[in-house]
């Protein structure tokens, strides 16, 4: 594209396109530049000016396979569209692609989870989990179970329902009171805690004691579900201590609520397993997925449900009065099936498992830099939590504006890396590279992070 064409494309977007999670009014000739991504190849994307970047975030945790499998997905899409372009999963109707995909998911899902309710994305999948939980309890004669438990700092979507499951006032307050009465408990971030909590047994006991106290305070008979990510994305790739998910299962069984694993990001290889919870011994009742299910080649979400829950909601005469027009769309289902086929054929999970220790060492070495307070993550999913110029490790307004808002994201992009830089109470730099990445590419990502954060450290 010529320079004039690039400018015209950006200007047209600024006039007509409302971007997600963006201060759209700040874009424009006098404001922030708009990154227009034109094409992708392997683990790279090119912008409209022809500059190439390592996609260090896999799009938005979606593009597990990078960008070079288009011909294979196009073939699967063409075959499906020649047979059937659309048919709803509605009032007794289904189509072969959705049926096949549901069966395929049942073979890789956690133990006892053999049923799938399709949707168009992650927020819808979480919304579905909530409605299924409510329906389950009502059919069992416990309609009073109307409360949820979620973890502080977590994010589960931006619909009015799923917003209720986050405690971020910046996201929730503009839209009024929450739709779901939610109690928040601690996540599993140990940064800043007393040294004794480095012991997994001690830390797990503390977390579970706090959770049990919250359940009792709300009244166990009022709690419908607890939702948690195996590795919490928001707040910086927060991994759980040993025994944590087993403890969640025990409390769910003791007090009768459902345990939901939000795997919208962690499923389909991000941490080297089909489902991230498998790494930590999770045994949820419901699992929500999206993003990697199609490797970003089509929109799709899904809520995977255990047999014991389905045995209740499928009672004769019971109606699951919930649905989406494009749930299990034939095109998306065909692409998801091809994605699973490619991941098995090309040993994508094995690639992550083979390289994860190397990436872990490279990321952990960043803690030698003064600005890096902690490195967290697993698999191909890592973040650096940054510390600043204030006595408590925070950033002054000047340092935040100069480093977190400007220098770090600018230098990363100039070096050819797209990563996520958070500008919140806990500033973070996060990576989630495509699962096809090789050792050399992971080293390049780590080198760019090290160079950028070393410059930022020198300026603190």
């Amino acid at each position: 594209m010529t320079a004039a064409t690039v400018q015209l494309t950006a200007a047209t977007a600024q006039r007509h396109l409302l971007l997600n999670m963006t201060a759209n009014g700040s874009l424009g000739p006098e404001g922030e530049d708009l990154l227009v991504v034109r094409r992708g190849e392997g683990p790279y994307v090119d912008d409209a000016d022809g500059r190439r970047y390592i996609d260090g975030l896999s799009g938005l945790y979606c593009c597990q396979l990078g960008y070079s499998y288009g011909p294979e997905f196009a073939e699967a899409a063409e075959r499906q569209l020649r047979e059937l372009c659309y048919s709803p999963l509605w009032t007794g109707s289904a189509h072969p692609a959705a049926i096949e995909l549901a069966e395929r998911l049942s073979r890789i899902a956690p133990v006892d989870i053999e049923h799938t309710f399709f949707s168009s994305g992650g927020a819808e999948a979480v919304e579905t989990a909530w409605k299924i939980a409510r329906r389950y309890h009502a059919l069992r004669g416990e309609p009073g179970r109307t409360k949820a438990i979620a973890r502080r700092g977590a994010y589960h979507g931006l619909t009015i329902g799923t917003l209720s499951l986050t405690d971020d006032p910046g996201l929730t307050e503009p839209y009024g009171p929450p739709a779901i009465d939610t109690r928040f408990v601690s996540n599993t971030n140990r940064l800043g805690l007393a040294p004794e909590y480095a012991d997994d047994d001690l830390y797990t006991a503390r977390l579970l004691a706090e959770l049990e106290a919250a359940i009792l305070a709300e009244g166990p008979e009022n709690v419908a579900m607890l939702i948690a990510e195996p590795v919490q994305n928001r707040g910086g790739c927060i991994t759980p201590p040993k025994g944590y998910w087993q403890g969640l299962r025990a409390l769910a069984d003791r007090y009768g609520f459902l345990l939901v694993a939000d795997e919208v990001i962690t499923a389909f290889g991000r941490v080297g397993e089909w489902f991230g919870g498998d790494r930590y011994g999770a045994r949820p009742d419901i699992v929500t997925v999206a993003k990697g299910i199609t490797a970003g080649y089509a929109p799709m979400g899904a809520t995977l449900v255990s047999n014991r829950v389905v045995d209740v909601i499928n009672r004769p005469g019971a109606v699951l009065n919930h649905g989406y027009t494009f749930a299990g769309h034939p095109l998306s289902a065909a692409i998801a099936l091809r994605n699973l086929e490619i991941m098995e054929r090309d040993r994508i999970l094995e690639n992550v498992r083979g390289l994860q220790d190397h990436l872990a060492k490279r990321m952990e070495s960043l803690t030698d830099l003064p600005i890096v307070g902690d490195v967290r993550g697993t698999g191909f999913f890592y973040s650096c939590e940054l510390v600043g110029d204030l006595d408590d490790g925070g950033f002054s307004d000047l340092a935040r504006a100069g480093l977190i808002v400007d220098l770090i994201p600018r230098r990363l992009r100039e070096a050819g890396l797209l990563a996520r830089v958070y500008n919140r109470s806990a500033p973070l730099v996060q990576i989630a590279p495509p699962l096809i990445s090789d050792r050399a590419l992971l080293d390049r990502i780590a080198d760019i992070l090290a160079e950028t954060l070393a410059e930022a450290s020198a300026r603190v």
Side-chain angles (χ1 to χ4, degrees), residues 148-154 163-168 182-186 210 214:
I149 296 177
R151 301 191 298 185
R152 294 190 185 98
L163 266 181
S164 306
L165 305 173
T166 180
D167 61 344
D168 184 342
T182 303
R183 173 74 174 252
F184 294 96
V185 296
S186 294
E210 178 198 347

Side-chain angles (χ1 to χ4, degrees), residues 52-110:
R52 173 156 287 196
Y53 306 88
I54 300 168
D55 184 0
L57 205 64
S58 298
L60 195 61
Y61 321 103
C62 296
C63 300
Q64 315 288 60
L65 302 176
Y67 298 89
S68 291
Y69 284 89
E72 287 198 62
F73 284 107
E75 186 275 332
E78 181 181 12
R79 179 185 301 175
Q80 178 59 54
L81 293 176
R82 288 182 181 278
E83 293 181 356
L84 180 68
C85 68
Y86 173 76
S87 184
L89 304 181
W90 204 272
T91 59
S93 174
H95 58 82
I99 295 170
E100 183 180 352
L101 179 57
E103 189 277 333
R104 180 70 186 85
L105 290 171
S106 74
R107 286 191 271 133
I108 61 174

Side-chain angles (χ1 to χ4, degrees), residues 4 15 21 27 62 79 109 117 126 133 166 223 259 271 332 383 412 430 454 459:
R15 284 198 302 271
M21 299 292 286
L27 300 173
C62 296
R79 179 185 301 175
F117 190 103
V126 173
T166 180
V223 179
L259 179 58
V271 301
S332 296
S383 71
L412 291 174
Q430 186 186 60
R459 298 198 183 190

